[in-house]
Amino acid sequence: MSELLLKGVPIGAIKGVLLDKDGTISNSEVHLLYLAKARIKAAIQIFRSKSSNTEELSRLKNLLSSAYGISPQGLNPGGTIAVASRAQNLISTATILCLLGESWPKALELANEIFHAVDLTAQKEELQVPKRTLLPGVMNILKKLKQANISCALISNDTHAGIKNFLQTHQLEEFISCFWSADNDPPKPHPEAVLGLCNILKLHPEECAVVGDAESDLQMANRAGVDLTLGYVAGWTMPPQLTAHKHIIKHWDELSVVK
């Protein structure tokens, strides 16, 4: 095993690292804010065709903003748009529509219509959609982990296609051995997601470290038997409030590896 160091201090011997994507290795806030606001805009347009009640439209905007995690300070890293999968965000959107008087079947239909409308707009305006970028120091630590023969994998609530596109766009395939997406069963934050990914890596949970920016990531790792849990807090304008970690990372350059 190789030794992982935090600010030069050994914190554990590992063979693998399981990484969250959005807010951990990917600077996704601008992209996700765009997505959240686009869905709110689409929802208002659809509802305006049904009702011109400005109070109801304002309530729709406020409820969706709250659910997605939009605030004057930026995107709440604990909001659904930051943490939850697309399917879970669709359900939360439909739930908001139910609060405005829609039946559940109609709310699901409208939520799907909203998401589809945003998808079409994003395809047409691809160059205007903010892109996810790698957070500072990510490539450097991935290279060090590879040199130390430490296997790296992603565990994310993004779709299989979304993760694959992210890896290809940032040329990370040589550093990331495999991934576990929202399309896998079960998706995170179920502990079996960690166990399933460890099984693919042919490693035991206690041989791995998990790095995430959400409390649910760290709790999942703890329940799966991972001892080395690292909370990453520098991926958002509003730092996530974490308690289930063993260590906190404020910059990827704080980590190093010794064989």
Side-chain angles (χ1 to χ4, degrees), residues 43 46-47 50 60 64 89-115:
I46 289 171
F47 265 72
K50 299 174 54 180
L60 171 63
L64 286 175
N89 270 278
L90 191 143
I91 293 298
S92 70
T93 301
T95 302
I96 296 299
L97 301 183
C98 281
L99 293 176
L100 295 173
E102 298 293 343
S103 68
W104 182 244
K106 185 61 177 178
L108 280 176
E109 178 186 331
L110 289 171
N112 275 290
E113 185 179 343
I114 291 164
F115 278 46

Side-chain angles (χ1 to χ4, degrees), residues 133-252:
T133 58
L134 293 180
L135 285 161
V138 167
M139 187 59 76
N140 185 42
I141 188 61
L142 287 178
K143 289 178 179 178
K144 289 180 179 178
L145 292 169
K146 182 181 180 181
Q147 290 169 359
N149 296 318
I150 295 175
S151 300
C152 291
L154 286 188
I155 182 165
S156 170
N157 264 330
D158 198 354
T159 62
H160 181 99
I163 296 175
K164 191 170 183 179
N165 179 66
F166 174 79
L167 294 176
Q168 291 174 344
T169 299
H170 297 287
Q171 300 178 335
L172 297 178
E173 295 100 323
E174 65 173 296
F175 303 105
I176 304 297
S177 303
C178 55
F179 60 83
W180 196 273
S181 75
D183 299 321
N184 287 98
D185 185 29
K188 75 171 194 175
H190 198 291
E192 288 291 335
V194 170
L195 299 178
L197 194 49
C198 286
N199 187 53
I200 294 172
L201 292 171
K202 297 181 179 179
L203 296 175
H204 298 293
E206 58 269 22
E207 296 176 311
C208 298
V210 168
V211 189
D213 67 316
E215 190 76 350
S216 54
D217 291 337
L218 305 173
Q219 291 173 345
M220 168 187 67
N222 289 330
R223 291 167 183 159
V226 175
D227 180 58
L228 189 53
T229 51
L230 308 176
Y232 184 84
V233 296
W236 307 93
T237 302
M238 298 171 59
Q241 301 300 307
L242 306 177
T243 63
H245 57 275
K246 191 166 186 179
H247 301 282
I248 283 290
I249 307 172
K250 295 182 179 179
H251 195 290
W252 279 108

